[in-house]
Amino acid sequence: MSWIVVEHLAGGGAVLHELAPGDAAAGGAPDLSRGPTASVQVASDDLAAVVAAREADRPRWVLDEVALRYPPLLAAGVRLDRCHDLRLCHAILRTSASCSDSALATAVPGPWDARHAPEPDAAAESDRQPTLFDDLAPPESSDAAASLGSASSWNFWHGSGARASTVVASSPSGGEGEGGVVPDPLAEPRTPAEGGPADLLAELGAQLEAVAGSEQPGRLRLLLAAESTGALVAAEMAHDGMPWDAAEHDRLLTELLGPRPAPGARPARLEELAAQIRRALDAPALNPDSQPDLLHALRRAGLDVTSTRRSEIAAQQHPAVEPVLAYKKLSRLLSANGWAWLDTWVRDGRFRPDYVVGGVVTGRWATSGGGALQLPAQIRSAVRAEPGWTLVVADASQLEPRVLAAMSADGAMADAARGADLYQALADAGTVSSRKEAKYGMLGAIYGATTGVSAALMPRLTAAYPRAIGLVEAAARAGERGEVVSTWLGRSSPRPGPSWWAAREAASGEGADARDVAEARRRARDWGRFTRNFVVQGTAAEWALCWMAALRRRLRDLPGRPHLVFFLHDEVMVHSPVGVAEQVVEAVRDAAAEAGRLLFGDAPVEFALDVAVVDSYDRAT
DNA sequence: AGAGGTCGCGCC
DNA sequence: AGGGCGCGACCTCT
């Protein structure tokens, strides 16, 4: 397989550096020892066409940051099959315990540790004048990229001739800022970037070296490939958008809230409920949107509540309860997914959230707008397939306990994880007395329940599934000691912050009193719950990434261009021509089986799916 | 006026 | 309950 490094130039345009294929022992990694076999400069206007032509060979494209570089290609109609996202992969390798001795992991923080990939910059020119922005960078950062590359890759590149540098030295022909976003130097202070191909090639070299020297190269390679494919999918989903029926959404809002009010005004239904609340609480001037005011009025009316939390109010007997709960529900709908949301996030019948790949420490995705990961069930009927199309919605049922069974190689739990309903199987095995207990118990084991029904079930679960429970317990103990834990493929947890260590220090110091000790213990347990969950949630996220990547590849070969339009932790949605839906269902199932094999080999765990073919999202269960 | 913190609730 | 999030609204502080 060939690898092509895309070096974007500051003024527009790019240089494509082709790398020699490595031997099979390197897991498909390219041979970096003699530099690129060819470097070709491409004007920005030609980039999409050139990339599209090269894509026929299905190379692995090496990009500094997919989220920046891929959308323009998509807009030009170009799709990439596979890639390596240097920024995302750097973040993983930087903290992975699997390669903690690597040059990449031990270097001082550099440009690749910033929130965005370092940009090639006119500032890198040798004759440039110093600017005030230089002062904003840490003094050591100018050496950071070089030290990250270390002697290994950096010197190889430049020892074998300055071919790449020569290309870069010629002026780009694409024209300044044409069709591209010109970085605003005032928007964000940047470290002085070295610019040129050395950054990309040296960084790639450092990454491949870290992987090759790691404890589990195969797993890390899979993780980096899955993460990078995730970046492609995220951009593609933002490009294609989720089919959204704005008229249906508006109809729904009008039905529940009344007609759309003037900006700032309460919809009619909320106004009615507010009046009811005021009467029931005998508080004529009450604004139910104010939590303190509402709490005060509730208590004055005799309700035994300490907050305005839904669950607390619901437990009370009072005429105000019903309207207050109704008000909260509807005002939430209005503020989170009302007309303002519709105006902001839905265009031309598509909802396009900004997915943030790797945005969560565990490896889950986040979103930076639109709240796509929390689409309430209430409005899912607005997610509607185009005429002639349908939605294939699939979610992995009980993913986290299944992942735990597989990663711990717990035979008894794997037995339970072989069928469609893991919780029922636990109950049938006699470990616990009901399916409900099984569910609470397992979730408690994964989340770290310390009290209540769930905690009480732990001894029985531990006896029946010693390896599975042992794995999460070990992760919890490690976290309590402040140690790092890792997912199956090698994403590692962050370390606790300074205040955590300070609390621990204070508790063991001379003047420590009981409060210091209790505080340190509490913080230790909190962090242990985090690391306990990290290993399972993070590995589940890896399974899901592999599932989606495998699905994406299968979709590519189906007719009519069925495409992913949504991904939510353990759930995917494919917008598919009606006639292809059955093939998509098959692809979704095959991809799940493939993801299981990719991560866990032939571990006897089934990753069961619930799959629905529906016209609108609310009809999928 | 704007920043930052907290609450409450939506999703997994 | 217990883990991970994003977000809007309100409130407080500066």
Side-chain angles (χ1 to χ4, degrees):
Chain A
M1 186 218 309
S2 72
W3 291 52
I4 303 176
V5 178
V6 184
E7 177 206 348
H8 286 265
L9 303 175
V15 183
L16 309 187
H17 304 278
E18 186 145 349
L19 305 178
D23 50 318
D31 179 8
L32 281 157
S33 62
R34 285 183 305 279
T37 53
S39 295
V40 183
Q41 183 164 340
V42 184
S44 59
D45 285 348
D46 303 333
L47 186 58
V50 172
V51 167
R54 302 297 292 274
E55 175 63 12
D57 302 329
R58 306 240 176 260
R60 188 175 298 279
W61 296 96
V62 179
L63 301 170
D64 54 355
E65 188 168 357
V66 169
L68 293 177
R69 310 303 183 186
Y70 195 26
L73 292 174
L74 286 168
V78 180
R79 304 237 162 193
L80 306 181
D81 190 44
R82 52 187 153 195
C83 75
H84 180 99
D85 184 310
L86 285 168
R87 187 184 67 86
L88 291 174
C89 293
H90 180 92
I92 289 171
L93 296 173
R94 181 79 177 153
T95 57
S96 174
S98 182
C99 60
S100 54
D101 296 331
S102 64
L104 186 145
T106 53
V108 297
W112 291 96
D113 293 305
R115 201 159 48 84
H116 289 292
E119 293 183 46
D121 198 326
E125 291 163 23
S126 56
D127 63 346
R128 82 192 232 286
Q129 299 300 310
T131 74
L132 86 141
F133 301 112
D134 292 2
D135 300 327
L136 299 173
E140 68 271 30
S141 65
S142 56
D143 293 330
S147 66
L148 278 187
S150 74
S152 53
S153 41
W154 172 273
N155 287 341
F156 281 146
W157 289 113
H158 291 77
S160 66
R163 175 169 36 197
S165 306
T166 309
V167 173
V168 154
S170 68
S171 74
S173 56
E176 179 88 13
E178 236 175 36
V181 178
V182 179
D184 174 9
L186 290 171
E188 202 174 296
R190 278 196 307 270
T191 55
E194 277 75 12
D199 283 330
L200 295 173
L201 297 173
E203 173 62 18
L204 178 63
Q207 292 190 5
L208 296 177
E209 183 184 276
V211 171
S214 71
E215 291 164 23
Q216 307 262 16
R219 291 192 188 184
L220 274 184
R221 252 176 231 125
L222 176 57
L223 175 55
L224 300 189
E227 185 89 336
S228 297
T229 302
L232 295 178
V233 173
E236 287 162 3
M237 291 198 302
H239 176 79
D240 291 328
M242 193 184 199
W244 197 277
D245 186 338
E248 165 67 10
H249 189 166
D250 177 68
R251 191 195 62 74
L252 210 64
L253 292 175
T254 304
E255 180 184 304
L256 293 168
L257 296 163
R260 179 175 191 164
R266 263 198 197 99
R269 180 65 189 140
L270 279 181
E271 203 59 80
E272 285 167 26
L273 286 166
Q276 255 179 277
I277 293 166
R278 293 188 193 105
R279 278 198 300 277
L281 294 177
D282 192 21
L286 174 67
N287 170 14
D289 290 323
S290 166
Q291 287 164 17
D293 292 359
L294 180 58
L295 177 60
H296 185 73
L298 289 170
R299 291 182 61 84
R300 211 169 45 86
L303 284 86
D304 180 24
V305 291
T306 60
S307 75
T308 62
R309 204 170 307 136
R310 207 205 94 85
S311 57
E312 232 184 312
I313 295 172
Q316 299 290 310
Q317 295 280 339
H318 192 280
V321 169
E322 195 199 322
V324 167
L325 296 186
Y327 186 93
K328 286 169 80 74
K329 182 95 182 153
L330 290 175
S331 82
R332 163 85 192 179
L333 171 66
L334 175 68
S335 64
N337 297 101
W339 290 281
W341 180 92
L342 194 51
D343 289 348
T344 308
W345 290 103
V346 177
R347 284 271 182 289
D348 305 322
R350 291 290 186 277
F351 169 43
R352 302 169 200 277
D354 301 326
Y355 293 99
V356 184
V357 176
V360 178
V361 282
T362 58
R364 279 185 172 180
W365 290 12
T367 54
S368 71
L373 304 187
Q374 19 185 135
L375 281 183
Q378 247 175 337
I379 60 163
R380 293 189 176 186
S381 64
V383 183
R384 207 166 269 272
E386 295 279 310
W389 291 64
T390 193
L391 301 173
V392 178
V393 182
D395 75 281
S397 48
Q398 307 147 351
L399 177 58
E400 294 191 350
R402 286 174 201 273
V403 160
L404 176 56
M407 68 192 294
S408 63
D410 188 310
M413 196 165 160
D415 285 345
R418 201 158 305 139
D421 190 341
L422 182 147
Y423 297 136
Q424 187 59 51
L426 294 191
D428 293 346
T431 309
V432 291
S433 56
S434 68
R435 185 183 183 282
K436 191 177 168 182
E437 275 196 358
K439 181 173 180 176
Y440 276 49
M442 277 319 306
L443 292 178
I446 292 168
Y447 289 153
T450 53
T451 60
V453 183
S454 171
L457 292 167
M458 289 300 292
R460 269 185 283 165
L461 289 175
T462 307
Y465 311 111
R467 293 181 65 99
I469 303 300
L471 187 147
V472 289
E473 287 295 328
R477 298 293 93 80
E480 288 169 6
R481 293 190 297 267
E483 294 167 9
V484 163
V485 298
S486 298
T487 60
W488 184 251
L489 292 185
R491 194 189 303 260
S492 294
S493 65
R495 293 178 190 282
S499 68
W500 191 93
W501 294 103
R504 190 174 136 129
E505 199 66 25
S508 61
E510 271 186 37
D513 60 20
R515 279 213 324 277
D516 294 330
V517 174
E519 171 66 6
R521 229 180 242 151
R522 185 188 65 77
R523 295 191 64 141
R525 279 196 306 264
D526 285 351
W527 198 260
R529 276 196 302 278
F530 165 60
T531 52
R532 170 199 296 270
N533 184 250
F534 181 95
V535 294
V536 180
Q537 185 186 118
T539 303
E542 288 163 353
W543 181 90
L545 273 178
C546 290
W547 179 35
M548 188 163 57
L551 171 59
R552 174 177 181 263
R553 204 185 54 243
R554 285 174 164 77
L555 293 180
R556 193 191 65 200
D557 298 329
L558 295 180
R561 213 183 80 80
H563 52 282
L564 280 154
V565 292
F566 193 53
F567 171 57
L568 179 55
H569 308 321
D570 63 356
E571 177 176 355
V572 298
M573 183 189 294
V574 177
H575 195 213
S576 167
V578 169
V580 189
E582 284 316 307
Q583 286 168 272
V584 171
V585 170
E586 198 183 332
V588 166
R589 294 195 182 282
D590 291 347
E594 182 180 342
R597 283 194 304 275
L598 277 172
L599 266 77
F600 304 114
D602 42 19
V605 172
E606 195 204 334
F607 289 91
L609 302 181
D610 286 325
V611 187
V613 181
V614 293
D615 292 330
S616 63
Y617 192 14
D618 59 315
R619 308 187 91 106
T621 46

